[in-house]
Amino acid sequence: MTPHNRAEKGDFAKRVLLPGDPARATFVAEEFLSDARPVTDVRGIKGYTGTYKGLPVSVMASGMGGASAGIYSYELYRFYDVETIVRIGTSGGLRKELLPGDLVLAMTASTDSAWAHQYSLNGTLSPAPDFDLFKSAVKCAEALGLRHTAGMVFSSDLFSSYNALGEGEWKKWAAMGALVQDMETYALYSTAMYLGKRALSILTMTDNCVTGQSFRNEERMKGNSAMIRLALETLLEDGR
């Protein structure tokens, strides 16, 4: 056990889906996994282990923000022998062509946080996903006929709607090519690279900062189903 996880060693599968929302973790367990059982609920952060088409898979929430995602992913990698984490998160669109429900595969992440300072690098870290996972995700997205794109995401400590700097801040990142803004991808990718593990971030664009288009409240859970299915099919393809 860790201070943030009551699971015993062996309770988690080698492959873990990591949504931010604990309710989404429960949704994945109930709607997508077979024989799912709860393994942790410390601080209301739900974790489950089951199977998907015979493949052992766990799902656990990360909470909001890079600091929270970094803690939970570090503990999964370091203390529970998890090898692969796929983030299944929501994001704000920074391109007008992105529609609610579109999927974004994070090829790299930029950030305004100080997360990488802990590594004492003489430069700027640009973390990346595991290439084989990324390649499998693209293959599966195309096979499933899902609307998707790939590129750089911007992981911010600040929620765009509540940012005191104003909308000009996200517009600067959009001008540099950022597709969407989330809060967790940078910390996950950095942690995976630091520990020599594997990670991929798949994001659903739920609210477009440019056009104002967004999911309705009643769509915000089931609207992530395509992303969840893609993540699970990616793990299945990767495990073959």
Side-chain angles (χ1 to χ4, degrees):
M1 296 183 180
T2 73
H4 314 98
N5 198 323
R6 72 174 179 84
E8 298 288 347
K9 200 163 186 177
D11 279 344
F12 282 99
K14 296 294 185 183
R15 300 171 177 87
V16 176
L17 298 186
L18 197 74
D21 183 2
R24 197 180 313 137
T26 300
F27 179 71
V28 171
E30 292 178 347
E31 300 294 328
F32 292 88
L33 300 184
S34 300
D35 303 317
R37 61 184 178 90
V39 295
T40 187
D41 60 0
V42 176
R43 300 185 179 215
I45 295 295
K46 305 290 187 179
Y48 304 86
T49 294
T51 61
Y52 178 74
K53 297 183 179 180
L55 181 74
V57 176
S58 295
V59 57
M60 178 180 168
S62 72
M64 287 193 293
S68 185
I71 288 170
Y72 288 111
S73 60
Y74 182 93
E75 291 185 350
L76 288 170
Y77 285 137
R78 177 69 178 80
F79 302 114
Y80 290 98
D81 298 328
V82 169
E83 292 295 329
T84 301
I85 294 178
V86 177
R87 167 163 158 69
I88 45 172
T90 57
S91 61
L94 305 183
R95 300 287 189 188
K96 64 181 181 181
E97 62 269 22
L98 290 174
L99 302 176
D102 283 357
L103 304 182
V104 174
L105 309 179
M107 296 175 70
T108 187
S110 298
T111 192
D112 56 13
S113 84
W115 183 264
H117 287 193
Q118 64 184 300
Y119 308 128
S120 299
L121 299 169
N122 186 23
T124 301
L125 177 68
S126 299
D130 178 84
F131 176 70
D132 287 334
L133 276 176
F134 181 83
K135 185 170 60 173
S136 292
V138 171
K139 177 180 178 180
C140 290
E142 292 175 347
L144 293 169
L146 300 174
R147 280 180 56 95
H148 67 284
T149 187
M152 184 255 287
V153 307
F154 171 49
S155 296
S156 179
D157 280 343
L158 308 174
F159 186 65
S160 59
S161 298
Y162 308 152
N163 187 344
L165 297 172
E167 67 177 19
E169 193 65 14
W170 66 256
K171 286 182 177 179
K172 294 175 186 177
W173 288 100
M176 291 299 296
L179 299 175
V180 293
Q181 177 176 324
D182 81 335
M183 302 181 80
E184 296 83 12
T185 297
Y186 189 93
L188 172 61
Y189 279 11
S190 297
T191 301
M193 295 182 79
Y194 176 68
L195 295 175
K197 300 286 188 170
R198 310 172 73 217
L200 175 66
S201 181
I202 304 175
L203 305 172
T204 300
M205 201 294 291
T206 59
D207 302 87
N208 193 303
C209 297
V210 182
T211 66
Q213 290 181 294
S214 65
F215 276 153
R216 296 188 298 272
N217 285 339
E218 61 271 21
E219 297 175 312
R220 290 189 178 274
M221 187 60 71
K222 289 193 174 182
N224 290 292
S225 293
M227 170 181 63
I228 295 165
R229 185 182 178 200
L230 174 59
L232 288 166
E233 287 294 325
T234 297
L235 291 178
L236 193 65
E237 174 69 21
D238 179 71
R240 287 192 175 102

